[in-house]
Amino acid sequence: MKVVVTGASGVLGSAVHKAFRSTGHEVLSLSHSRKGNGLVQLDLTNSTEVEKTFENFHPEWVIHCAAERRPDVAEKNVEATRKLNADVPSHLAKLSARLGFTLVYISTDYVFDGRSPPYTPSSQTNPLQLYGQTKRDGEHAVLNADGAKVIVLRVPVLYGPAPKNSDSAVNVLLDAVLDQSGKFYKMDHYATRYPTNVLDIANFLVRLSALNKPIPSILHYSAAEPYTKYEMCLVFAKILGVSSHHITPDADPPTGSSATTRPRDCHLDTSETDDLGVECGLGLSLFEEWWADYLDRKKL
């Protein structure tokens, strides 16, 4: 199968790129700025170049991972965030209708307000900040595109192999845990997250693409283990055998004009995804087990 992966240099995109290639698919891996490792540079906001690239490649599936994923950055660059998170997927959905490929739009648990979990695919969205709003707008755009074959895949906070720890909101916590210089960190102990491995998502998408039955337009994919960022830090400290005394829990919600609102608990209900009957199911890793093995192999 011919597959396009956007945002292929990111933590999720690179995992998706590798998973499809390793199973024999022909993959066009698009990146905005990074080069090498089979990446093709393309500005997704340049509609003319995007159309030319897609028409030449003739994809059957497009996994759209590219997004502004950082809520704090989104608030500071509203126009660029709306363009990438809502306008670009809208254009891709129109191309789906014209060229006949299936578009998988990677969305987020942040389309919900976190007040009444768990959330099913049909639950009412109510994002609390600009990032969630733009991803919700992207959902609406692709789902309402006439003739498009679209799957919205909502996922929570992600972790996995990454070129830099700062590429993931989970991986970056390692840097705080490993900083034994005497600096103190106040770590969020307010919001419950469900960290999910990008390798699991990538492998699930490969199996989903082989499913010979209708696929719902909205799916949820999430691990089930609840952690705050503070609790993730404690896990890392335990695995690495270092002190966590320099990291203190902050159980208060974000406040002040500079704080980006975070939902309290956006647990995604994955029962409808489970019921699809995808081979091997969701195939979810256990957080501490995966990290213990990964960090042991990296010898951090």
Side-chain angles (χ1 to χ4, degrees), residues 14-293:
S14 60
V16 173
H17 149 97
K18 290 174 184 174
F20 275 95
R21 281 205 168 171
S22 68
T23 47
H25 299 289
E26 183 180 351
V27 183
L28 176 62
S29 301
L30 303 178
S31 170
H32 181 69
S33 56
R34 292 180 184 174
K35 300 179 180 179
N37 298 318
L39 296 173
V40 174
Q41 282 187 283
L42 181 67
D43 180 0
L44 293 176
T45 65
N46 185 330
S47 57
T48 301
E49 288 302 311
V50 168
E51 290 182 21
K52 186 186 304 182
T53 299
F54 279 56
E55 286 168 354
N56 288 340
F57 186 70
H58 296 294
E60 293 159 80
W61 274 54
V62 173
I63 316 296
H64 181 48
C65 302
E68 176 49 72
R69 61 171 180 80
R70 300 160 297 178
D72 295 329
V73 174
E75 299 283 347
K76 296 171 184 173
N77 200 341
V78 176
E79 184 178 351
T81 299
R82 289 195 186 282
K83 186 173 291 187
L84 185 57
N85 289 0
D87 295 348
V88 166
S90 176
H91 181 227
L92 293 181
K94 291 170 185 173
L95 279 180
S96 164
R98 183 157 67 83
L99 301 179
F101 60 79
T102 297
L103 172 65
V104 179
Y105 172 63
I106 304 297
S107 192
T108 172
D109 58 347
Y110 271 21
V111 298
F112 299 112
D113 57 23
R115 297 180 180 125
S116 55
Y119 294 95
T120 69
S122 59
S123 294
Q124 183 65 45
T125 58
N126 184 36
L128 299 181
Q129 19 73 331
L130 180 79
Y131 165 67
Q133 291 164 7
T134 58
K135 293 299 288 184
R136 185 269 320 274
D137 292 347
E139 288 189 7
H140 286 177
V142 300
L143 292 170
N144 291 319
D146 288 340
K149 293 188 287 187
V150 170
I151 301 165
V152 170
L153 184 68
R154 295 182 181 136
V155 299
V157 68
L158 305 179
Y159 69 90
K164 300 180 295 180
N165 284 338
S166 58
D167 289 340
S168 158
V170 176
N171 292 38
V172 74
L173 301 178
L174 281 166
D175 295 338
V177 172
L178 288 168
D179 184 358
Q180 302 287 317
S181 66
K183 179 180 178 180
F184 284 86
Y185 293 84
K186 185 179 276 190
M187 198 61 64
D188 177 45
H189 196 42
Y190 166 80
T192 297
R193 312 299 300 276
Y194 298 83
T196 299
N197 196 304
V198 294
L199 300 178
D200 297 341
I201 298 172
N203 290 326
F204 172 78
L205 283 169
V206 172
R207 301 194 307 275
L208 184 71
S209 71
L211 193 66
N212 190 24
K213 62 187 290 188
I215 300 172
S217 57
I218 303 177
L219 293 176
H220 286 177
Y221 189 99
S222 173
E225 297 175 285
Y227 290 93
T228 64
K229 284 189 175 182
Y230 173 70
E231 290 167 339
M232 292 183 225
C233 287
L234 296 184
V235 170
F236 290 146
K238 174 186 172 184
I239 293 171
L240 295 167
V242 299
S243 170
S244 60
H245 292 158
H246 61 299
I247 299 175
T248 57
D250 181 6
D252 297 322
T255 58
S257 58
S258 62
T260 304
T261 302
R262 256 72 166 184
R264 184 71 180 264
D265 184 345
C266 289
H267 187 201
L268 297 173
D269 184 324
T270 61
S271 58
E272 292 181 35
T273 309
D274 273 319
D275 291 343
L276 269 178
V278 175
E279 183 183 358
C280 301
L282 270 65
L284 295 164
S285 300
L286 296 175
F287 185 78
E288 184 172 343
E289 181 181 276
W290 187 89
W291 275 109
D293 178 68

